[in-house]
Amino acid sequence: MTIPANPVVLVTGASRGIGAGIARLLAARGARIAAHYHIDRAAIDAVLASLPGDGHQAFAADLGDADAAARLWYAATAAYGVIDVLVNNAGIYLFHPPLASAEGEWRAAWRQTLATNLMGPATLSLLAAQAMAARPGPVDPNFGRGRIVNVSSRGAFRGEPDAPAYAASKAGLNALGQSLARALAPQQIYVYTLAPGWVETDMAAEHLAGPEGDGIRAQHPLGRLSRIDELAGAAAYCALDAPPAMTGGIIDVNGASYLRS
Ligand code: NAD
């Protein structure tokens, strides 16, 4: 397979956690990173400074605002010309347990979660798909015209009793990836989705520190949570190496903490 030389990869939520890990690993493999962040300019500057190679730039956007998500795509495209890979990594987890949430809180959590975790990626994916499909050939059919990698969650299958909107948003992201994989395969655009369990990030740290911490650790037969570098490795594989035959796949990256068949 011929991977584009110094492919351009737009990574959302690259300022910390899994997104920063994905950006670092892809940059080490020669990618130029269009590093999206929300509001933490200092954090994205630190990530940019840590990336090996050249051609990395930061782009701000609130992905909970679909117009801003579209502007992000156009800004990155204006800067680089073409985007080879879109990584939909940014996401939020809001606590809204069904029996302890007022209706207003419940609706606000659903609105914000679906906007950020599903509508933002759906908007970026549409623009990516259309731009990739319009790229002229010849293309290496094994790499394709472009790729989309989604970071979903185990919660889509297992349920999230304290954050039902999160589980629903990730189930929606899974279905978005499957639908786009089928729609875009004839154009040689490939779509892969990762479904992590708990990963050692800031998002996980607050849960691990709380009363549920021991229960979370007990779910993991590896005796530890997944590491950011493991998620980054799986994402880089999908972004650069995975065969077209895997398009549409939803890949568990959860340390056997929750398995499905
Ligand atoms: P994190 O909270 O450390 O990072 C999330 C990123 O999303 C941040 O960069 C943040 O700026 C960005 N973001 C949040 N709201 C945004 C908005 N409105 N607009 C733009 N960007 C926004 O989380 P993480 O653990 O690195 O998670 C990354 C992805 O992995 C998420 O989609 C998450 O759902 C998924 N995931 C994480 C875990 C885990 O245990 N950490 C488990 C399963 C899935």
Side-chain angles (χ1 to χ4, degrees), residues 59-192:
F59 299 87
D62 176 1
L63 296 182
D65 172 352
D67 291 335
R71 286 196 296 275
L72 166 64
W73 178 263
Y74 294 126
T77 303
Y80 288 99
V82 296
I83 311 283
D84 295 291
V85 183
L86 165 66
V87 180
N88 284 313
N89 163 77
I92 53 170
Y93 178 103
L94 299 178
F95 189 73
H96 55 289
L99 299 182
S101 300
E103 187 196 342
E105 294 166 340
W106 175 265
R107 283 209 254 162
W110 275 82
R111 232 185 342 262
Q112 199 181 341
T113 303
L114 292 180
T116 307
N117 293 6
L118 188 53
M119 194 63 190
T123 302
L124 285 170
S125 297
L126 174 80
L127 297 174
Q130 293 181 346
M132 290 169 183
R135 288 175 78 173
V139 294
D140 177 337
N142 289 316
F143 181 80
R145 282 198 162 71
R147 293 176 171 224
I148 298 171
V149 181
N150 296 318
V151 182
S152 178
S153 171
R154 176 189 81 161
F157 312 113
R158 185 174 178 265
E160 292 284 351
D162 292 328
Y166 179 82
S169 72
K170 296 300 192 179
L173 189 63
N174 291 351
L176 172 70
Q178 291 173 319
S179 301
L180 290 184
R182 296 191 63 183
L184 304 177
Q187 302 298 325
Q188 297 164 320
I189 300 165
Y190 310 129
V191 186
Y192 307 92

Side-chain angles (χ1 to χ4, degrees), residues 161-259:
D162 292 328
Y166 179 82
S169 72
K170 296 300 192 179
L173 189 63
N174 291 351
L176 172 70
Q178 291 173 319
S179 301
L180 290 184
R182 296 191 63 183
L184 304 177
Q187 302 298 325
Q188 297 164 320
I189 300 165
Y190 310 129
V191 186
Y192 307 92
T193 299
L194 300 178
W198 286 100
V199 186
E200 292 168 348
T201 64
D202 296 342
M203 190 187 254
E206 57 193 86
H207 298 278
L208 287 168
E212 52 179 337
D214 286 343
I216 292 170
R217 276 179 283 270
Q219 294 168 13
H220 294 76
L222 285 174
R224 60 167 178 81
L225 273 56
S226 302
R227 297 188 312 260
I228 288 174
D229 66 287
E230 294 177 303
L231 262 297
Y237 173 73
C238 292
L240 300 179
D241 306 309
M246 283 179 66
T247 193
I250 301 170
I251 300 144
D252 291 328
V253 192
N254 68 35
S257 64
Y258 183 78
L259 297 176

